Amino acid sequence: MVTKFITKEVKDRRGLLVFTFALFLCFLLVFMVIKPQSSIVEPFAVALSLVVMPLVALLFGASGFEAEFRSGAWAYLASRPVKRGTIWFMKYISLASIVGVVFLFYLVLLFAFPGARTFLTGTIYEYAYASKISLFLLGLLLYLLAFHIAFSLSFLSGKQLQTVFVALFVILGMGLVLYLYFNALQFFYPYVVGMNGILAFVAASFAGASFFSFTKSDFSQPRKKTLAFMKSVAVLLLVSLVLCTAWARLGGRTIGPGTFIWNLQTVGNEAYFTSNRGIFLFDPQKDAVRNLGGKPWLIMPFSISFGGENMLFLHYGGWRGMTQELWTMSEDGLRKSLLAGARDKKSPFYRLYFFSARLSSDGTKAALLTLPKGKEFNRAFPYVLWWMNMDGSDLRSAALGEPLNPRRTIEMLGWTRSGGDLLLYQFPLPGKNLPGKLYAFNFASGTCRPLAECQEIAVPTHISPGNGRFVFVHEDAGRRRVALLDLETFDFRDIFDGENLKPSGFRWSPDGKKVLFFSRRLPDELALNVYSLPADKIVTIPMIQDPKPNPAWIVPYADWVYGGANVLLAQKSGDAWSLRLFSAELKEEKAFPIPVQVRSTGYFVVMSGKVLAESQDERGLWRCDLGTGGWKKVY
Amino acid sequence: MSEILHISQLHKRFGKNHVLRGLDLSLEQGKVHGLLGKNGEGKTTLIRIIMGVIPADAGTIQVNGRTIRYSDASYKTDIGYIPEDPFFYENLKIGEFLAYNALFYPSWDARKAGAYLDRFSLNPKASISTLSRGTKLKLGLVTALSANPSLLILDDPTSGLDVPTRQDFLKDIIRELADGGTTVLFSTHLVHELERIVDRVHILKAGRIVVSDDYEHLKTQTGQAGLEAVFMAYVA
């Protein structure tokens, strides 16, 4: 029976099929003529996948019931001993089969040509963190969406062209509405997960409304028929939106694609990280990951700090995840409390944007940087710095003004050991050739003093364990110099310099007495350096570079391991990454490969004899045992 | 005599136009029923509601004692239907169309369909787009009868046909069916055509069946000699 239906539908659409295959032939000729590496391949592949194919699907869908309503066959079909639902379904299956075959021809066309194939599968769009979609999949989704919407609308009118335009209008209009809706929700990534399902839900809503209306409507009254359809589709779209939002809110953080790993760092001999499922601890003794705090905290990158036996973090809560809260929690996750929230009207933090937070090294004090709501994307004053005890008492604040520049982003790097000052970093303005700057905010006086210019981006990990020193790069007499800033006296001295130098990758040893870093001298010299504070000496080894370096010049990553006795380096050679173990004097002792499933940026954290690194898909963590060189996925 | 179709208090509106206003109708099995009414009285609307093409606003319809709903379809396997303007897929051949139509009827008799094609001199390989209106009507009849229906509903099928074809259709085919036990509901505004074949007359006026009686009894009652006169006596 189905075959006969399909045969009839194919016969009815001979003209459309001929047109479609003629179009494919044109593209075929183009792909045959142009070279695979040609720059023309990309726009043609994009045009075919994202424009032509959805339009073809739109035309086929719009032809769904067009013939029946134009010719009056609907009355013939309705008078047959077959349920209307069956008629709708058979028509859907027949047309879906035809568009499926058309899609197969499109695949054959594209995959037969290396240039088009590579472009289709290799072009990836990232629409949110860790949420990517290939050009091919995006084209397929649009193809299916266009077909379903046009097919669903086709029974409302006997004019195919009218249906095509209405379907186009619906698709574009809905796309805009959904974008605005999820954009309002989505600042926090998990809601974008809802977008993963919304296209399917929309297509299903239209198809469902078409089915319900087709089976219940009076076809002799077009206005009633259209109204019935619109009511059904409105209800189903609303249900879809509620389901997607609920899914994003409740389940999106724990299920579906896009589980992300942020804030991976070591504290003592343990590693902590955050994901869309909460805060996690990796215990190297047990070789296992544990969830802390009992709920899916949503913590942005660089929004968690550790000190004493506590942690301090900014969490995005509330039903839309737009309410910011400052929380403190013990490192074992058992004790937690809310220090500040932006939702409480009686709170001094009401409607403020929480920019960043830092815990003092002894874990007894918290600092919070805020901006007025609406200013978070326009980093202009007034920044306000708040500080308090960890129980929320003794809350004080100061508006940050001169000598800080009101047009530049400020970040807190960390407290000094004594807790009397806070190290601040003002970001550079490359367009205006203004370098970054370091400042010290004194809590007693409430004033800022400038300390030094900082040529490379400063991050909290540049502060030594114990908060005694801060390593940074500045420029003097045209030479880049690595300097150490004493966080008590705020004096600094140079420890390394050179012409055309780009130092980076600073990592302090756990005892705070050594710091390693890379120094890169253009065009292609790279060295690994270890500076020893007690000896006031640098040991340097030149690195062998990948003969085909990545145009982005990705520097290898290194860190201390075994309590500072060794240095571990992740380096790429050819297409493969490997871990290389060096003594503190930079003599290589061992090397073993990093599996392809591990993220190829080489970033990792180390605890004693264990290394943690992200998965290649950025959704999991792998652990390497440095004793055996064995890798295991732990999250 | 049992009823094959029973309609009770049927209502249908199109906007403000209340076409059927509490219509009652019963069809006895095995008889030829004539449904008469002036143009626009709602004959086609009534038939479309029976056939499930459009829904009623209120009322019940029973076919062979079973109440049917708008969403029901199985009861139609027992009903042959020729609308006023029958639809055919113009891009199909006669044989292809019959094969397509056969998909809907479990009781489709292909041999019977072949016999009717021969009787009406229809070539299964002929394209439907080449057929005249009269030939299409014959094809419609083949389509309706090949499923062995117990009820045949004809909605003004002979309008536009030439006189010989109409007479052939009415005298031979309809009578033959009725004699064979098939119930026929013949709706027309060409009253005189039914005279030779009708058993019972149902007159539709102002949205209701105002007369439902045996033809002979009506003639006696009204003192009218012909069906047209009987009809005029009730609708004038």
Side-chain angles (χ1 to χ4, degrees):
Chain A
M1 189 178 187
V2 175
T3 319
K4 284 195 163 43
F5 267 89
I6 294 174
T7 308
K8 186 200 124 346
E9 297 301 329
V10 168
K11 276 193 163 192
D12 284 347
R13 283 160 191 81
R14 270 178 300 211
L16 192 50
L17 282 166
V18 166
F19 166 74
T20 302
F21 289 119
L23 207 57
F24 281 168
L25 198 61
C26 294
F27 277 90
L28 181 76
L29 290 171
V30 169
F31 284 129
M32 280 170 74
V33 165
I34 59 177
K35 291 186 183 138
Q37 298 82 15
S38 167
S39 59
I40 302 176
V41 170
E42 174 180 340
F44 266 95
V46 169
L48 183 58
S49 304
L50 299 188
V51 178
V52 172
M53 288 304 291
L55 272 178
V56 163
L58 205 69
L59 286 172
F60 274 100
S63 74
F65 288 102
E66 176 253 349
E68 277 79 8
F69 284 93
R70 177 171 38 82
S71 64
W74 66 269
Y76 162 77
L77 286 174
S79 64
R80 301 301 101 179
V82 60
K83 290 194 176 207
R84 286 173 179 236
T86 307
I87 296 172
W88 186 96
F89 191 67
M90 293 303 291
K91 179 72 90 166
Y92 173 78
I93 291 288
S94 306
L95 270 181
S97 305
I98 295 172
V99 296
V101 167
V102 167
F103 193 78
L104 279 175
F105 269 99
Y106 150 77
L107 284 183
V108 166
L109 170 68
L110 283 180
F111 282 84
F113 294 93
R117 178 176 64 234
T118 305
F119 185 75
L120 255 192
T121 54
T123 305
I124 308 288
Y125 299 113
E126 183 165 323
Y127 59 90
Y129 186 82
S131 290
K132 303 181 173 94
I133 189 166
S134 66
L135 174 63
F136 169 73
L137 191 58
L138 182 61
L140 175 62
L141 283 176
L142 286 176
Y143 185 77
L144 293 174
L145 183 71
F147 167 70
H148 280 86
I149 290 185
F151 177 78
S152 303
L153 293 171
S154 68
F155 87 105
L156 296 178
S157 165
K159 297 171 190 160
Q160 186 181 9
L161 199 58
Q162 196 175 76
T163 306
V164 167
F165 279 115
V166 172
L168 260 177
F169 176 76
V170 165
I171 290 170
L172 293 173
M174 262 190 344
L176 182 66
V177 167
L178 288 171
Y179 171 77
L180 291 174
Y181 174 70
F182 278 98
N183 204 41
L185 287 183
Q186 76 80 32
F187 178 76
F188 305 99
Y189 151 83
Y191 293 100
V192 183
V193 171
M195 291 289 283
N196 292 345
I198 197 69
L199 289 181
F201 275 106
V202 165
S205 299
F206 270 81
S210 168
F211 180 84
F212 289 135
S213 312
F214 190 88
T215 53
K216 305 283 182 210
S217 296
D218 181 352
F219 288 176
S220 65
Q221 302 189 72
R223 190 179 285 184
K224 262 183 144 179
K225 182 176 64 170
T226 305
L227 267 173
F229 174 78
M230 284 169 67
K231 274 186 204 166
S232 295
V233 86
V235 166
L236 288 173
L237 280 178
L238 194 62
V239 167
S240 300
L241 210 56
V242 167
L243 283 175
C244 275
T245 308
W247 175 29
R249 181 71 184 90
L250 299 170
R253 296 184 194 184
T254 57
I255 60 170
T259 301
F260 52 80
I261 308 280
W262 279 343
N263 298 304
L264 178 63
Q265 58 192 287
T266 48
V267 179
N269 201 38
E270 290 165 333
Y272 290 80
F273 62 93
T274 63
S275 79
N276 53 324
R277 299 181 193 181
I279 304 174
F280 292 84
L281 162 73
F282 173 74
D283 185 344
Q285 304 287 341
K286 296 179 184 168
D287 207 25
V289 163
R290 184 158 62 93
N291 192 316
L292 302 176
K295 75 177 200 174
W297 303 95
L298 180 54
I299 299 164
M300 291 291 115
F302 311 114
S303 296
I304 186 167
S305 59
F306 295 82
E309 291 179 0
N310 297 316
M311 64 178 87
L312 183 76
F313 54 88
L314 292 179
H315 162 64
Y316 287 85
W319 80 271
R320 295 199 319 177
M322 296 293 287
T323 305
Q324 291 176 292
E325 297 167 349
L326 179 67
W327 282 80
T328 174
M329 190 157 78
S330 57
E331 280 183 357
D332 56 15
L334 294 177
R335 296 180 312 278
K336 52 185 179 279
S337 66
L338 174 67
L339 278 184
R343 206 170 17 166
D344 184 359
K345 284 183 185 172
K346 295 182 190 150
S347 155
F349 303 101
Y350 179 60
R351 291 188 63 81
L352 291 181
Y353 176 72
F354 292 1
F355 187 66
S356 66
R358 283 280 169 260
L359 188 56
S360 61
S361 57
D362 60 5
T364 59
K365 286 187 164 48
L368 173 68
L369 204 57
T370 64
L371 283 165
K373 195 80 174 161
K375 292 283 189 195
E376 55 264 35
F377 296 111
N378 173 18
R379 303 274 192 259
F381 284 150
Y383 277 99
V384 175
L385 178 65
W386 307 76
W387 60 99
M388 67 199 93
N389 293 328
M390 282 297 276
D391 58 3
S393 63
D394 199 21
L395 174 68
R396 300 188 197 186
S397 66
L400 296 181
E402 291 293 328
L404 289 154
N405 186 322
R407 288 188 182 74
R408 289 157 66 178
T409 305
I410 301 171
E411 184 52 271
M412 296 185 288
L413 294 176
W415 295 65
T416 59
R417 188 183 306 172
S418 62
D421 295 87
L422 185 70
L423 192 63
L424 299 175
Y425 172 64
Q426 187 142 54
F427 277 69
L429 271 183
K432 302 238 167 134
N433 206 26
L434 291 171
K437 270 190 174 174
L438 295 170
Y439 295 85
F441 176 85
N442 183 266
F443 289 108
S445 63
T447 56
C448 263
R449 65 180 263 206
L451 299 178
E453 285 187 355
C454 183
Q455 298 297 342
E456 299 290 328
I457 298 292
V459 292
T461 54
H462 291 179
I463 296 180
S464 65
N467 294 45
R469 283 175 182 79
F470 178 77
V471 61
F472 68 102
V473 177
H474 71 113
E475 198 166 285
D476 187 15
R479 294 167 75 91
R480 289 273 170 116
R481 300 166 192 268
V482 177
L484 288 185
L485 175 73
D486 187 311
L487 291 180
E488 293 305 318
T489 64
F490 296 121
D491 295 325
F492 67 89
R493 62 185 177 89
D494 296 336
I495 60 169
F496 186 81
D497 75 352
E499 218 167 318
N500 297 324
L501 212 57
K502 277 188 78 62
S504 62
F506 297 102
R507 299 296 292 177
W508 285 95
S509 61
D511 60 6
K513 291 183 179 167
K514 290 178 286 207
V515 60
L516 65 80
F517 57 95
F518 290 96
S519 55
R520 184 155 50 99
R521 186 176 278 114
L522 296 171
D524 57 6
E525 284 181 35
L526 180 72
L528 174 63
N529 311 278
V530 171
Y531 172 78
S532 164
L533 219 68
D536 192 22
K537 208 171 78 166
I538 278 194
V539 174
T540 297
I541 57 163
M543 304 292 299
I544 299 169
Q545 265 310 288
D546 187 333
K548 293 179 194 172
N550 186 309
W553 240 113
I554 293 176
V555 179
Y557 185 78
D559 204 348
W560 296 93
V561 72
Y562 292 124
N566 291 83
V567 171
L568 194 65
L569 167 74
Q571 187 178 17
K572 189 172 182 225
S573 177
D575 290 329
W577 283 82
S578 60
L579 283 179
R580 296 165 66 188
L581 191 67
F582 293 84
S583 66
E585 292 75 36
L586 299 184
K587 287 191 173 29
E588 185 162 354
E589 293 179 358
K590 214 160 52 163
F592 38 86
I594 300 175
V596 294
Q597 298 94 326
V598 179
R599 196 166 170 201
S600 60
T601 58
Y603 175 75
F604 54 82
V605 295
V606 296
M607 310 135 272
S608 192
K610 301 259 171 84
V611 169
L612 278 186
E614 280 187 49
S615 302
Q616 179 61 20
D617 61 7
E618 301 171 27
R619 292 176 196 168
L621 277 183
W622 286 73
R623 181 274 294 138
C624 176
D625 185 324
L626 291 176
T628 62
W631 289 86
K632 172 183 144 186
K633 192 168 186 185
V634 293
Y635 178 79
Chain B
M1 176 102 27
S2 63
E3 290 175 347
I4 192 168
L5 180 72
H6 180 79
I7 299 173
S8 174
Q9 290 295 297
L10 202 68
H11 289 265
K12 179 65 182 175
R13 286 178 194 274
F14 293 100
K16 291 181 183 171
N17 187 10
H18 197 170
V19 176
L20 301 178
R21 300 165 185 245
L23 184 145
D24 298 309
L25 175 67
S26 293
L27 300 184
E28 287 177 21
Q29 205 158 7
K31 293 195 173 177
V32 176
H33 300 262
L35 179 64
L36 308 177
K38 292 198 290 189
N39 286 341
E41 286 287 357
K43 299 187 296 297
T44 298
T45 300
L46 171 63
I47 288 172
R48 283 184 156 190
I49 291 173
I50 295 170
M51 292 309 301
V53 175
I54 57 175
D57 294 330
T60 57
I61 300 176
Q62 289 181 324
V63 175
N64 284 320
R66 195 184 113 211
T67 303
I68 59 168
R69 295 175 302 176
Y70 181 53
S71 55
D72 286 343
S74 58
Y75 72 95
K76 296 180 214 175
T77 55
D78 227 10
I79 303 178
Y81 171 49
I82 304 178
E84 183 176 13
D85 198 3
F87 170 82
F88 302 95
Y89 290 106
E90 298 284 318
N91 59 348
L92 297 183
K93 296 185 172 54
I94 289 177
E96 288 172 342
F97 178 77
L98 289 175
Y100 177 75
N101 200 66
L103 298 173
F104 299 111
Y105 295 92
S107 56
W108 183 268
D109 189 338
R111 252 182 350 113
K112 192 180 255 188
Y116 275 119
L117 285 177
D118 289 337
R119 179 170 174 173
F120 296 134
S121 304
L122 295 175
N123 180 3
K125 290 190 169 56
S127 178
I128 291 175
S129 59
T130 63
L131 302 182
S132 67
R133 175 162 163 73
T135 317
K136 281 182 180 175
L137 170 65
K138 292 176 186 175
L139 177 57
L141 203 56
V142 174
T143 309
L145 296 177
S146 301
N148 291 315
S150 54
L151 171 64
L152 179 66
I153 299 179
L154 306 151
D155 187 0
D156 216 354
T158 59
S159 63
L161 289 180
D162 56 72
V163 170
T165 308
R166 277 213 306 270
Q167 287 186 344
D168 169 45
F169 174 71
L170 291 170
K171 206 167 70 164
D172 293 340
I173 296 165
I174 300 299
R175 198 65 257 171
E176 194 179 296
L177 287 171
D179 292 342
T182 301
T183 309
V184 179
L185 176 64
F186 198 123
S187 163
T188 184
H189 64 281
L190 300 176
V191 178
H192 59 277
E193 294 192 331
L194 278 183
E195 209 148 6
R196 274 165 284 180
I197 57 168
V198 72
D199 296 320
R200 282 182 68 82
V201 173
H202 311 275
I203 297 176
L204 178 57
K205 181 184 174 185
R208 291 190 181 87
I209 298 291
V210 295
V211 171
S212 202
D213 204 346
D214 287 346
Y215 175 45
E216 292 303 326
H217 186 245
L218 271 179
K219 276 202 299 195
T220 309
Q221 206 171 31
T222 59
Q224 303 295 336
L227 184 56
E228 196 162 339
V230 168
F231 176 62
M232 291 308 293
Y234 282 97
V235 300

